[in-house]
Amino acid sequence: MKMEETTKRLNQLLKSGLDCIFNASKEEMEKKPDRDKWSKKEIIGHLIDSAINNLQRFTEIQFKEKPYKIKAYDQDQLVKANHYQNADIKELSELWLVLNKQIIFLMKNQSEETLNFTIENSNGTTADLRFLMNDYVDHLEHHLNQITNSSGI
């Protein structure tokens, strides 16, 4: 997939995600389907953590030794530590949007050479930056579908 298509898709997802967030009630955003599952607000928090981690990955691969080694992060602990359930949804959505705008900017500034930079996943498999960027958008779409179609994860 070309980066132009990826950035267009990401922009569309941001718009639809924000529409969903702003059309939902506070109760709907904060309702936890189960004690051990994330609320919709916490899913947005997880998407913020994902954006932060992936922005760092997308940036570091430009100058770090190849293959660039992907470090896993503890998503559940990050959601808890950041107290997303108690955060202001407007501020969360603004942070999520700004981080993703920077990711789009970075995606648009990649060359064929950089898109082919090799990454090594934490499980030992290899891919390239293009795959990592597309996978990021797929991951974001998956979680936005959870927000629009269900009551959390």
Side-chain angles (χ1 to χ4, degrees):
M1 180 180 288
K2 294 186 184 280
M3 275 303 109
E4 184 178 330
E5 294 170 24
T6 302
T7 58
K8 182 179 178 184
R9 185 170 155 229
L10 182 51
N11 264 316
Q12 290 168 340
L13 289 168
L14 293 174
K15 182 183 179 331
S16 63
L18 290 172
D19 287 346
C20 179
I21 292 166
F22 291 128
N23 288 320
S25 68
K26 183 178 191 283
E27 294 75 24
E28 186 181 350
M29 290 301 294
E30 292 179 352
K31 181 181 179 202
K32 292 175 74 73
D34 190 10
R35 191 172 61 116
D36 296 330
K37 295 192 180 228
W38 292 337
S39 68
K40 292 179 180 187
K41 189 191 275 189
E42 288 172 317
I43 294 172
I44 297 299
H46 166 65
L47 290 175
I48 289 169
D49 294 334
S50 175
I52 290 168
N53 279 278
N54 280 287
L55 179 58
Q56 182 173 0
R57 292 168 178 167
F58 300 161
T59 304
E60 284 183 347
I61 196 171
Q62 308 295 318
F63 56 87
K64 293 275 187 170
E65 183 180 331
K66 314 299 180 285
Y68 178 77
K69 295 186 183 346
I70 301 293
K71 292 177 257 164
Y73 60 96
D74 191 331
Q75 58 189 22
D76 290 319
Q77 292 303 320
L78 282 172
V79 167
K80 287 178 186 171
N82 280 295
H83 302 279
Y84 291 126
Q85 184 68 2
N86 302 315
D88 180 85
I89 191 61
K90 185 176 186 295
E91 291 175 1
L92 290 180
S93 58
E94 289 170 355
L95 177 57
W96 178 66
L97 178 63
V98 168
L99 287 166
N100 279 285
K101 289 295 186 181
Q102 180 60 29
I103 287 171
I104 289 169
F105 179 75
L106 190 59
M107 287 176 169
K108 286 180 175 179
N109 283 286
Q110 298 311 299
S111 66
E112 278 303 308
E113 178 186 4
T114 61
L115 289 170
N116 289 317
F117 283 162
T118 306
I119 62 162
E120 183 179 314
N121 291 304
S122 55
N123 66 4
T125 61
T126 59
D128 58 20
L129 179 58
R130 176 183 284 106
F131 168 83
L132 189 63
M133 289 178 163
N134 284 313
D135 187 59
Y136 171 77
V137 178
D138 290 344
H139 173 259
L140 186 143
E141 182 175 35
H142 165 75
H143 285 299
L144 287 181
N145 285 336
Q146 289 178 317
I147 290 172
T148 58
N149 300 327
S150 73
S151 55
I153 63 168

